[in-house]
Amino acid sequence: KMAAVTDYGLRKVVWKSKFTPIMILDPFTTKLLSSCCKMSDLMAEKITIVEDLFKSREPVPEMKAIYFMSPTAKCVESFIADFKTNPKYKAAYVYFTDYCPDDLFNNMKLYCSKYIRVCKEINMNFMPLEAQVFSCDNPGAFKSIYSPKSQDKQKTLEELADQLVTLCATLDEYPGVRYKKESNMENTKIFAELVDKKLARHYELDDSGTKKGKTQAQLLILERGFDPVSPLLHELTYQAMAYDLIDIQNDTYKYKSKDGLEKQAILNEDDMLWVKLRHKHIAEVSEQIPKMVKEISASKKQPDEKITIRNLAQMMKKMPSIRKQLTEKTAHLQLAEDCMQCFSNNVEKLCKAEQDLAVGSDVDGLKVKDPMRTLLPVLLHPYSTQDKIRAVLLYIFSLGGTTDENLSKLIQHVKIEDEREFILNWKELGVPIITPSFFSRKSSRRDRSQDETYNLSRWTPVIKDVMEDAVENKLDAKDWPHQSECPAAWNGSGAVSARQKSKTTQDERRSGSRLIIFVLGGICFSEMRSAYEVNQAVKSCEVIIGSSHILTPTSLLNDIKDKCFWT
């Protein structure tokens, strides 16, 4: 029985799938393993040493080693070097994340066959970031796919397709494949064909020797240009806001305590408070954390006073017994305070203009007749250049493109004459920038006028419409052609055949239908949140979303304007 790790979602599936004493990892598998287990989980499996494949290591000839690595020439060369002359270990148990090419496999056999006890491809070449979110961990795919100068677009699409097939294999799904068809975005069709062919090949070569039939799953493929608005808006839900406004690297939030000590918090699913709060609006988070702290302090008969970082630190000194409970809340109290500080400084005023431009109407539901009047106050205020660029892009998207003359005026106003790429390069994603002013590319959206929303959070990511339409079996076949179909019984809303009982819990749901969404070119946090919201509303269908990588507004704009990407 495996050691306890997060007990739901993709991370559990990956950890329980395959995994004595020494384990050797490459950088990718290090991140993969870190995303779904802790060192204590490895130790419970009697793995006591974890080493880097590419670093110099002391030989331990009396011990066996597990190699968990990517099937690349660099990894295989390092493996061979460990055994070719003076073997570092008694024996090797080799696990590849994906299919190992014949030439690399033959090289291993040639030099190391007497030491290899096990050699398996375990189909796990993706990063399970959250219960319902995965990534291919390849931010460079953006340049490869969208740069007009790219030399490796086809290779990148092939690699991403291979990774997506390993996700399906890990979930034991053989889904029907559909893609978003748009005349100015052709990557989805090419990618859908690749994925479908590789899925068919994978299930033909299944170890069991029997050909697997299609499962109750649907895979939808889109690319980043289908919704350029969502990744640029200032989001006010906790996770999206934190990653947009605060410098969080590798999911690590660093902050200073009131006594001046450097502290850090890892924002992942091992922190259950983070899981509980991440999709809530910052207004709710700012209320809830102090309430939680007050509940703890009340139980210790503390005076009822305003909760601040300072008196929280004093409380922890006085009562060591509650330090652990308070420590995790301290980090979130500080992070929420940091977010609210940014909000009150600049973001609050920006949000109203951004929402009006994105939604096309104001808080009262009145149509925005002149978007320039909405944009102008943003341009005249001393906001940062990047905030102004975000607003200008939302203005252009709201019109479905603008004129050369108007664009030149906007670029002069924002003072980015030398960095026009911030705006012009969006055309490489299939997003109209320069068009006749009468052209509009607005697609019909679901009516959400009755939904309860905050005034500054009225926009709903387009992908949520897609998820809901897919679950309800309402996707138009003209806009969403089938590359391959899943069984006729598919209906994500749960109205499948009579022999399938209603399922509600996360584990039980896996015997129902699954909707897998893959976006070429990156997904943002509001799109990740949408998967959880649809999942919660339709409990009979599990929604999983993934991409080449995860975006923040800053990382997307930097990729868009990076001159080396486009010249």
Side-chain angles (χ1 to χ4, degrees):
K1 183 174 166 60
M2 284 291 180
V5 289
T6 306
D7 62 352
Y8 62 95
L10 281 175
R11 298 169 78 223
K12 178 186 176 186
V13 174
V14 169
W15 171 242
K16 294 195 88 171
S17 289
K18 313 292 171 190
F19 298 91
T20 263
I22 298 178
M23 181 170 254
I24 297 162
L25 307 169
D26 65 30
F28 178 83
T29 53
T30 301
K31 285 173 81 173
L32 194 163
L33 216 55
S34 300
S35 71
C36 56
C37 73
K38 302 178 201 167
M39 190 62 204
S40 57
D41 298 313
L42 293 176
M43 289 178 76
E45 298 299 314
K46 300 185 172 54
I47 294 166
T48 52
I49 303 168
V50 178
E51 302 241 44
D52 186 325
L53 177 63
F54 299 138
K55 287 191 177 162
S56 177
R57 286 167 274 118
E58 286 296 314
V60 194
E62 70 279 6
M63 292 183 86
K64 300 169 186 174
I66 295 175
Y67 285 78
F68 182 32
M69 60 191 187
S70 309
T72 64
K74 186 179 178 185
C75 287
V76 170
E77 281 165 15
S78 294
F79 171 78
I80 291 171
D82 283 355
F83 293 93
K84 190 173 179 180
T85 47
N86 297 311
K88 278 189 163 69
Y89 310 107
K90 182 179 178 181
Y93 295 75
V94 182
Y95 296 90
F96 285 113
T97 56
D98 200 351
Y99 173 76
C100 180
D102 290 346
D103 58 331
L104 299 182
F105 182 70
N106 290 335
N107 262 356
M108 285 171 60
K109 273 205 315 190
L110 183 63
Y111 296 109
C112 314
S113 58
K114 65 188 265 190
Y115 299 103
I116 298 172
R117 298 286 181 273
V118 170
C119 187
K120 282 191 173 179
E121 295 151 348
I122 60 174
N123 295 304
M124 206 176 284
N125 195 6
F126 63 92
M127 210 64 70
L129 300 180
E130 295 181 3
Q132 292 171 230
V133 181
F134 69 95
S135 161
C136 294
D137 194 38
N138 186 359
F142 188 87
K143 170 189 173 182
S144 299
I145 294 169
Y146 293 116
S147 168
K149 306 285 187 184
S150 173
Q151 300 294 308
D152 60 352
K153 177 174 172 176
Q154 185 63 27
K155 179 172 175 278
T156 300
L157 291 174
E158 294 261 5
E159 287 170 355
L160 292 174
D162 285 331
Q163 289 179 278
L164 188 48
V165 168
T166 73
L167 171 92
C168 295
T170 301
L171 296 173
D172 195 28
E173 296 284 14
Y174 187 1
V177 180
R178 299 178 77 171
Y179 61 94
K180 182 74 171 86
K181 183 180 181 182
E182 293 200 46
S183 58
N184 50 350
M185 296 180 208
E186 295 177 357
N187 295 313
T188 51
K189 185 177 189 331
I190 297 165
F191 189 66
E193 287 171 357
L194 279 174
V195 171
D196 199 48
K197 279 180 190 168
K198 288 175 184 289
L199 275 168
R201 179 171 178 267
H202 172 78
Y203 283 116
E204 272 178 2
L205 300 175
D206 197 6
D207 290 344
S208 64
T210 56
K211 190 172 176 180
K212 187 180 179 76
K214 293 278 187 177
T215 56
Q216 288 292 341
Q218 206 171 171
L219 169 60
L220 304 183
I221 292 166
L222 310 90
E223 60 178 306
R224 185 61 268 159
F226 83 99
D227 175 9
V229 172
S230 294
L232 291 182
L233 287 171
H234 278 90
E235 260 274 328
L236 299 182
T237 46
Y238 188 36
Q239 181 185 38
M241 191 177 190
Y243 277 81
D244 181 8
L245 302 177
I246 312 300
D247 184 24
I248 295 171
Q249 301 293 333
N250 299 317
D251 300 324
T252 304
Y253 166 56
K254 294 182 178 177
Y255 63 102
K256 270 193 177 174
S257 61
K258 291 301 174 189
D259 53 12
L261 292 175
E262 292 278 350
K263 299 269 182 101
Q264 65 178 41
I266 309 296
L267 304 176
N268 65 20
E269 291 187 338
D270 294 324
D271 178 349
M272 293 315 293
L273 185 58
W274 171 248
V275 173
K276 182 179 178 181
L277 297 174
R278 64 187 172 191
H279 298 143
K280 291 186 184 295
H281 195 277
I282 191 65
E284 295 173 56
V285 174
S286 298
E287 279 179 19
Q288 284 191 22
I289 300 174
K291 275 183 188 170
M292 291 173 188
V293 176
K294 277 188 179 175
E295 283 165 15
I296 298 171
S297 59
S299 69
K300 301 293 175 185
K301 298 186 169 56
Q302 287 301 295
D304 186 18
E305 56 182 312
K306 186 173 186 287
I307 297 297
T308 65
I309 294 292
R310 184 179 293 280
N311 60 33
L312 195 53
Q314 288 169 346
M315 228 159 73
M316 287 163 71
K317 281 180 188 169
K318 288 179 195 168
M319 293 177 291
S321 61
I322 62 165
R323 185 173 293 140
K324 186 170 185 292
Q325 293 176 65
L326 289 173
T327 300
E328 63 178 27
K329 293 174 178 63
T330 308
H332 288 290
L333 189 58
Q334 183 68 61
L335 181 54
E337 280 187 12
D338 288 353
C339 288
M340 285 306 294
Q341 186 67 50
C342 296
F343 177 74
S344 53
N345 287 352
N346 280 321
V347 175
E348 186 174 8
K349 295 187 186 77
L350 275 167
C351 277
K352 184 188 182 308
E354 289 181 355
Q355 291 290 315
D356 288 358
L357 289 170
V359 178
S361 56
D362 64 15
V363 172
D364 300 317
L366 297 173
K367 189 178 181 203
V368 174
K369 290 178 181 170
D370 183 2
M372 182 52 80
R373 288 184 66 179
T374 305
L375 175 66
L376 209 52
V378 176
L379 297 182
L380 295 173
H381 192 277
Y383 292 117
S384 71
T385 300
Q386 194 160 99
D387 281 341
K388 290 185 179 184
I389 290 168
R390 285 163 76 167
V392 166
L393 284 164
L394 292 168
Y395 162 80
I396 293 169
F397 301 156
S398 75
L399 297 171
T402 188
T403 61
D404 264 319
E405 184 186 2
N406 195 26
L407 181 59
S408 293
K409 286 179 185 171
L410 290 168
I411 284 171
Q412 284 168 18
H413 212 109
V414 184
K415 298 186 173 68
I416 53 165
E417 289 91 341
D418 295 334
E419 294 182 301
R420 300 165 68 93
E421 298 85 8
F422 268 126
I423 294 171
L424 293 177
N425 284 344
W426 282 87
K427 70 180 186 296
E428 304 298 343
L429 278 68
V431 180
I433 297 297
I434 303 292
T435 64
S437 56
F438 58 80
F439 177 82
S440 178
R441 174 178 175 270
K442 293 261 180 185
S443 56
S444 59
R445 297 292 312 270
R446 282 190 166 229
D447 179 13
R448 299 185 188 273
S449 55
Q450 301 308 307
D451 293 0
E452 281 189 37
T453 57
Y454 288 85
N455 288 344
L456 300 182
S457 301
R458 288 171 284 132
W459 172 261
T460 300
V462 177
I463 210 160
K464 189 172 182 183
D465 290 4
V466 171
M467 290 170 180
E468 289 173 341
D469 286 347
V471 163
E472 294 167 19
N473 220 9
K474 290 180 180 173
L475 288 178
D476 189 315
K478 288 199 294 289
D479 294 333
W480 290 90
H482 290 269
Q483 184 63 41
S484 68
E485 302 209 24
C486 52
W490 159 268
N491 186 328
S493 62
V496 241
S497 61
R499 55 194 161 81
Q500 289 191 359
K501 296 177 184 173
S502 172
K503 304 291 184 186
T504 52
T505 70
Q506 190 84 16
D507 279 340
E508 286 174 325
R509 188 180 298 150
R510 293 198 185 102
S511 62
S513 49
R514 257 200 189 104
L515 177 64
I516 304 167
I517 310 266
F518 188 84
V519 182
L520 286 166
I523 48 171
C524 61
F525 288 99
S526 61
E527 290 168 336
M528 289 159 58
R529 187 185 75 245
S530 296
Y532 291 89
E533 290 170 349
V534 174
N535 214 104
Q536 191 59 35
V538 188
K539 295 199 164 53
S540 57
C541 179
E542 185 179 22
V543 183
I544 290 175
I545 187 169
S547 182
S548 45
H549 61 300
I550 309 300
L551 296 169
T552 62
T554 302
S555 72
L556 176 58
L557 287 176
N558 286 342
D559 280 353
I560 285 279
K561 70 100 184 175
D562 195 334
K563 286 191 170 81
C564 73
F565 274 28
W566 314 96
T567 56

